[in-house]
Amino acid sequence: MIKIAIYGKGGIGKSTVTSSLSAALSLEGRKVMQIGCDPKTDSTINLLRGLTPPPILQYLQEHGRPASLDEIARTGFGGTTCLEVGGPTPGVGCFGRGMLTAFELLEEMNAYATYAPDVVLYDILADIVCGGIAVPMREGFADKVAIVTSGEKMALLAARNIILALRHFADRHYAELGGLILNCRDMADEKARVEDFAAKMDTTILGVIPRDRAIHAFEEEGRTIVEGDPGLPTSLEFRNLARTMMGL
């Protein structure tokens, strides 16, 4: 089992990339668990035809500890196990601490042994990596980190912050940087710009996802592009990315 944390600036398309990657991995015959780590709880929505699992933190607050994993997990496209962390009460509490609470609960309830995934994907909001948001990389929950970016200045700044945070923990044998995922915005010289950034940060581009209207068309139906039409060029790019990710 490999655990991969997918980070990136808010609005960069992490959830689209992560859920499409989960769908692609399932088509490659992999058992996948996707854990949404964003208070919006929308990471897995396109694996579940527009539905969402009960957010773990809200469930704990309203009902206490779940009696079984079935109360907080749902099965999505390709058999993907879908979970959402949720968020603390607005204005109260720390989201990083909330993530840690959710992850510890899943370990205590033997979620990883029960579902036996080949790969776990954490979809994590991280414009700037504070100590709390860095929980998956520093507490040993993730093995690798992939960063979704575009060629835009703010997206690359967020990617730089995440890389610096990772390297801060390098001597503690926590999560390692796997590379970048370029989610294109159709900027001029975008790929060259991100390649230059990757070289400066001593990393690589794992995959390039083109800007494709079909992605949004299928999302309107609560599906990923990979589920909607596995033969489209963009779907094939996600399948190539899935193979690359399994080799990290």
Side-chain angles (χ1 to χ4, degrees), residues 170 173 234 241:
H173 306 290
T234 299
L241 176 60

Side-chain angles (χ1 to χ4, degrees), residues 30-42:
R30 305 291 185 171
K31 293 181 67 177
V32 186
M33 176 185 286
Q34 181 170 323
I35 304 176
C37 304
D38 187 322
K40 297 193 304 296
T41 67
D42 59 357

Side-chain angles (χ1 to χ4, degrees), residues 122-137:
Y122 301 98
D123 175 11
I124 304 170
L125 173 66
D127 286 77
I128 297 176
V129 183
C130 69
I133 298 299
V135 162
M137 63 173 74

Side-chain angles (χ1 to χ4, degrees), residues 8-10 12 126-127 147-162 180 183 185 187 190 194 197:
K9 178 184 178 297
I12 199 62
D127 286 77
I147 303 170
V148 180
T149 188
S150 66
E152 296 165 317
K153 181 178 179 179
M154 296 308 293
L156 293 174
L157 176 61
R160 177 180 177 275
N161 288 336
I162 295 161
L180 308 174
N183 194 29
R185 298 294 205 212
M187 298 173 58
E190 185 169 25
V194 178
F197 172 81

Side-chain angles (χ1 to χ4, degrees), residues 20-193:
S20 298
L21 182 56
S22 288
L25 284 162
S26 73
L27 292 183
E28 295 296 311
R30 305 291 185 171
K31 293 181 67 177
V32 186
M33 176 185 286
Q34 181 170 323
I35 304 176
C37 304
D38 187 322
K40 297 193 304 296
T41 67
D42 59 357
S43 175
T44 59
I45 193 169
N46 291 317
L47 293 167
L48 292 163
R49 294 296 180 99
L51 303 176
T52 57
I56 295 172
L57 296 182
Q58 277 78 358
Y59 191 97
L60 288 170
Q61 184 179 39
E62 295 171 11
H63 307 288
R65 183 187 175 95
S68 73
L69 289 165
D70 290 341
E71 295 178 32
I72 54 173
R74 297 292 183 268
T75 302
F77 175 76
T80 299
T81 301
C82 300
L83 298 125
E84 296 280 355
V85 169
T89 302
V92 179
C94 168
F95 180 57
R97 180 62 200 172
M99 274 199 296
L100 185 57
T101 297
F103 295 165
E104 289 176 342
L105 176 69
L106 293 177
E107 288 200 329
E108 290 168 8
M109 296 186 72
N110 297 313
Y112 303 110
T114 299
Y115 296 111
D118 299 308
V119 57
V120 178
L121 299 178
Y122 301 98
D123 175 11
I124 304 170
L125 173 66
D127 286 77
I128 297 176
V129 183
C130 69
I133 298 299
V135 162
M137 63 173 74
R138 68 179 171 83
E139 297 290 345
F141 290 102
D143 304 308
K144 299 286 183 178
V145 167
I147 303 170
V148 180
T149 188
S150 66
E152 296 165 317
K153 181 178 179 179
M154 296 308 293
L156 293 174
L157 176 61
R160 177 180 177 275
N161 288 336
I162 295 161
I163 292 170
L164 293 178
L166 273 172
R167 290 179 178 162
H168 176 75
F169 301 122
D171 61 344
R172 306 183 199 180
H173 306 290
Y174 290 156
E176 299 177 350
L177 178 62
L180 308 174
I181 300 170
L182 171 53
N183 194 29
C184 293
R185 298 294 205 212
D186 284 348
M187 298 173 58
D189 302 318
E190 185 169 25
K191 186 176 180 183
R193 183 189 294 243

